[in-house]
Amino acid sequence: MGINNDVLRILDEVLSLNGRALAFTRETHLLGAIPELDSMAVVSLITSLEEQLGISVNDDEIDGEVFATVGSLSDFVNARL
């Protein structure tokens, strides 16, 4: 689960969760459940994922389902690696 751990680490950094994200599971809801994850944070999160994991994300690939849970975000990132 290396990608999942990378996603959790980046979520924690970008959203300034002070370690809270490290306890998240694949089933943890993100969008709408974590107040820190607003529209500006989504943009920052995508940028950090691209920079730190070497992926490229097109605007038309992003929708609410990608950010529904930790698992959906991790699967999205894994598909781009």
Side-chain angles (χ1 to χ4, degrees), residues 41-56:
V42 166
V43 173
S44 296
L45 182 57
I46 292 167
T47 301
S48 291
L49 289 166
E50 288 178 321
E51 291 173 353
Q52 294 186 39
L53 301 178
I55 64 172
S56 180

Side-chain angles (χ1 to χ4, degrees), residues 4-44:
N4 198 64
N5 289 337
D6 288 338
V7 168
L8 290 176
R9 177 183 50 79
I10 294 168
L11 272 169
D12 202 73
E13 289 173 7
V14 171
L15 302 180
S16 300
L17 297 176
N18 299 317
R20 279 187 14 227
L22 304 179
F24 292 173
T25 67
R26 286 185 52 84
E27 292 76 30
T28 300
H29 291 277
L30 296 175
L31 202 59
I34 299 175
E36 294 88 350
L37 188 58
D38 60 15
S39 59
M40 291 305 295
V42 166
V43 173
S44 296

Side-chain angles (χ1 to χ4, degrees), residues 55-66:
I55 64 172
S56 180
V57 178
N58 295 322
D59 291 342
D60 63 347
E61 297 175 309
I62 300 299
D63 61 27
E65 290 181 23
V66 170

